Amino acid sequence: MEKRIFLSYNWNDTKDVNRLDNLFSRFQIHLTRDIRDLKYNANIHNFMDGIRKHDKLILYVSDSYLRSVNCMYEASQGTCKEKF
C-alpha cells in the first residue's frame, strides 16, 4: 500500500515547492497539496485537519511559513494526536 504524504507550505514558497513536488512525482510519489487536492468550495480547515490521516508529513518551513497563522495551525495538526 502506498504511503500518504501531506506537504505543508506557505503559498509564497510555491515555486520551490513545485520543484520538490516534481521531484517526488518522478518517483511516482504523490504528495497531498491544497492546490491539487482541496476541492473547490471545500472547507480549508477540514482539509488541514485531514493531515492526521496521512502516514507522513513534510513541512516546507520558511520565514513566510513561520509567520502564517494557517501554516502554524496546519503544522500543529500534524504533530497532535487529538483534535483541538
Side-chain angles (χ1 to χ4, degrees):
M1 177 192 268
E2 186 175 323
K3 297 280 187 195
R4 296 188 66 203
I5 304 171
F6 192 100
L7 178 57
S8 178
Y9 64 99
N10 185 283
W11 284 4
N12 291 335
D13 301 311
T14 298
K15 184 177 176 181
D16 292 332
V17 170
N18 285 343
R19 287 196 299 258
L20 179 65
D21 191 24
N22 289 333
L23 176 65
F24 275 82
S25 291
R26 286 187 212 145
F27 295 96
Q28 287 82 46
I29 299 171
H30 174 80
L31 301 178
T32 301
R33 291 181 63 185
D34 54 357
I35 64 166
R36 178 177 44 237
D37 301 301
L38 179 63
K39 305 294 185 234
Y40 177 74
N41 267 352
N43 184 305
I44 185 72
H45 284 285
N46 288 343
F47 178 77
M48 290 188 284
D49 290 345
I51 203 168
R52 283 180 248 120
K53 296 177 183 173
H54 288 72
D55 302 301
K56 302 290 181 186
L57 168 63
I58 297 173
L59 301 176
Y60 190 89
V61 179
S62 65
D63 187 59
S64 297
Y65 188 92
L66 294 172
R67 294 175 187 273
S68 167
V69 172
N70 285 331
C71 290
M72 291 295 94
Y73 175 83
E74 195 169 86
S76 72
Q77 295 309 298
T79 58
C80 296
K81 299 273 184 197
E82 299 296 322
K83 185 174 181 177
F84 292 119

